[in-house]
Amino acid sequence: MEKTLVILKPSCLQRGLVGEVTKRFEQKGLRLAGMKMCQLTDKQMSEHYAQHAGKPFFQQLKDAMMVTPVIVCCYEGVGAVEVVRQMAGATSGRKAAPGTIRGDLSMSFQENIVHTSDSLETAQVELKRFFRDDEIFDYEQPHFQFLYAADEL
Ligand code: CMP
């Protein structure tokens, strides 16, 4: 089953939206496989946002991710990468559709509440960046048989 990374950004923590955002993933049926609060570093952010290096907002984006601790989460489910991205919505909170996390909770490009991995390959790299193997947990959820049909697994 797919695993993907979600970072609850400083905008999420500062605005008291951790419960609201994690509730959405929980209610959707994604299994929380890992979660920890951490203070990100410039080195981590330069690596994580390498595709934005050189863009005018690069340093500002990195600084905004380090202004408070963040919460990194690993969610698991069938097609989890795409499901989580759809739930997050378009990057800019002003463009994101109502019903999505950013569409409902954000007015900003930068202060857009969550980071989500954009592909399965990226998710694997990003999860390794923020979690040790022993920080990702496999455990059974008793309601699992009511989340998927057998042929969806
Ligand atoms: P995220 O999903 O974390 O991935 C890259 C981040 O860069 C993105 O969310 C935004 O927060 C930020 N970003 C992308 N484009 C811009 C922009 N034009 N101005 C400011 N921040 C941006």
Side-chain angles (χ1 to χ4, degrees), residues 39-153:
Q39 177 60 54
L40 299 174
T41 64
D42 192 74
K43 184 168 176 288
Q44 278 177 316
M45 286 299 89
S46 293
E47 194 180 293
H48 184 67
Y49 284 133
Q51 77 273 27
H52 296 300
K55 294 185 186 166
F57 59 87
F58 184 52
Q59 189 60 48
Q60 182 184 308
L61 168 63
K62 291 195 297 175
D63 289 344
M65 291 294 284
M66 298 185 293
V67 73
T68 70
V70 299
I71 298 175
V72 290
C73 311
C74 172
Y75 283 103
E76 182 188 73
V78 173
V81 174
E82 185 57 23
V83 168
V84 166
R85 267 193 95 65
Q86 293 287 341
M87 289 178 71
T91 306
S92 167
R94 294 191 295 277
K95 298 260 171 66
T100 64
I101 290 167
R102 292 163 174 159
D104 289 350
L105 305 173
S106 167
M107 283 291 285
S108 171
F109 229 124
Q110 177 179 284
E111 304 299 333
N112 62 353
I113 313 297
V114 287
H115 166 82
T116 64
S117 302
D118 64 7
S119 69
L120 189 53
E121 296 69 36
T122 309
Q124 285 161 355
V125 172
E126 291 185 343
L127 286 168
K128 282 242 170 291
R129 179 172 298 134
F130 296 109
F131 288 98
R132 297 192 314 264
D133 286 351
D134 66 354
E135 292 174 327
I136 301 291
F137 297 88
D138 269 327
Y139 58 92
E140 284 183 17
Q141 292 182 301
H143 63 245
F144 185 76
Q145 64 170 304
F146 299 105
L147 278 177
Y148 302 102
D151 66 356
E152 292 174 308
L153 297 172

